[in-house]
Amino acid sequence: NIVPEPLRAVESADEFMARLPEFDAHFKALNDDALASGSVLRYVGSVDAVDPTRCCVRLARFPHDHPFAALKGSDNIVAFTTERFPIPLIVQGAGAGAAVTAFGIFADLIKVCERFAVSS
């Protein structure tokens, strides 16, 4: 979990955002350590279709020559490793960006409201 332990139990988004700068030094140290070792930090998710208990989301280090290290801005990347692709198959492209993502979430909320017949 990338959220520092003390922030996991805060009671509001305002409190979370107010306290977040307390951890800037921690994340700067992680980034500085990664850079010093020739790596970059990326927030990644891993899904194991064979063993679902091995699924996770984490902050990880990747060397500069790893495909994940080349991500810029809102790009997304997926690496598939399978029996037939022991060397990962990489799919990379532009992410939606903030406006499109917000619109998608809003559209999903409208669908939920319609499904449960919620009126304003």
Side-chain angles (χ1 to χ4, degrees):
N1 190 333
I2 195 171
V3 178
E5 187 74 39
L7 293 180
R8 294 180 195 173
V10 297
E11 296 189 15
S12 70
D14 288 338
E15 180 184 359
F16 181 92
M17 294 306 294
R19 293 195 52 205
L20 192 55
E22 296 172 21
F23 302 92
D24 286 352
H26 166 73
F27 286 106
K28 183 180 182 327
L30 291 175
N31 192 53
D32 290 347
D33 288 347
L35 292 174
S37 70
S39 302
V40 296
L41 296 176
R42 295 292 182 257
Y43 194 52
V44 297
S46 177
V47 177
D48 188 324
V50 176
D51 182 2
T53 64
R54 292 183 43 180
C55 298
C56 68
V57 177
R58 63 190 172 92
L59 189 61
R61 285 185 185 197
F62 293 94
H64 287 287
D65 61 351
H66 190 282
F68 287 9
L71 285 177
K72 301 287 184 224
S74 63
D75 283 359
N76 293 310
I77 191 167
V78 178
F80 296 94
T81 305
T82 69
E83 183 178 312
R84 294 194 176 32
F85 292 102
I87 298 172
L89 171 67
I90 303 292
V91 178
Q92 181 176 354
V100 174
T101 301
F103 177 79
I105 291 170
F106 185 70
D108 289 345
L109 289 171
I110 290 172
K111 289 176 189 174
V112 169
C113 291
E114 289 171 347
R115 180 167 293 159
F116 293 100
V118 174
S119 61
S120 52

